[in-house]
Amino acid sequence: MTEPSAMKIIDVLLVEDDDGDVLMTREAFEHYKIRNQLHVVRDGEQAVQFLRREGQYEGAPRPDLILLDLNLPRFDGRQVLAEIKADAALRLIPVVVLTTSEAEEDILRSYQLHANAYVTKPVDFDRFIEVIRKIDEFFVTVVKLPR
């Protein structure tokens, strides 16, 4: 088993406009002592600016993992996902769609746009933070991420 101190620290970009979900994600990181760096943007336009290091995000790190809500102001999550996967400099970043939608059309469209995973957000706090822990564990300890 890998010692927690030996685990790599990655940059995670959370694209989420719901304050409650942002708070629960932060609490999940704290509860499970997830040491990864969490960056938060509130809409699709900010997400694209962050990823392209434009404007106020000029010095932003390149995230190793993106947690993307679908229902966002300005650009919605589908548009953000399409932008990411159409850009040669960004397309290798794994994107986990993390949304309340259980609609088959959203699931299908997300995978057609090359999402790496589609996860429906549980409404229960304990289950929500457990889902965040599992995503983190999978992408940090199981999967090899490109650098």
Side-chain angles (χ1 to χ4, degrees), residues 54-140:
E54 297 172 346
Q56 66 179 333
Y57 303 107
E58 186 178 355
R62 177 62 39 98
D64 300 293
L65 175 64
I66 300 168
L67 304 178
L68 177 65
D69 187 22
L70 287 183
N71 301 311
L72 297 167
R74 300 201 176 123
F75 295 150
D76 76 5
R78 295 157 205 80
Q79 292 171 293
V80 173
L81 184 55
E83 289 277 330
I84 292 167
K85 297 304 181 177
D87 186 322
L90 302 174
R91 76 171 53 116
L92 294 179
I93 302 170
V95 178
V96 175
V97 172
L98 185 61
T99 187
T100 55
S101 174
E102 294 185 41
E104 188 63 31
E105 64 206 41
D106 285 337
I107 297 167
L108 182 60
R109 184 73 181 129
S110 294
Y111 282 117
Q112 287 172 336
L113 291 169
H114 305 289
N116 297 85
Y118 189 100
V119 178
T120 303
K121 294 179 201 172
V123 290
D124 174 76
F125 174 74
D126 291 330
R127 290 194 57 233
F128 183 91
I129 66 170
E130 179 64 14
V131 163
I132 297 297
R133 184 194 66 77
K134 286 179 179 178
I135 292 170
D136 177 76
E137 183 178 307
F138 181 72
F139 280 96
V140 174

Side-chain angles (χ1 to χ4, degrees), residues 7 16 25 64:
M7 292 168 75
E16 175 60 68
T25 303
D64 300 293

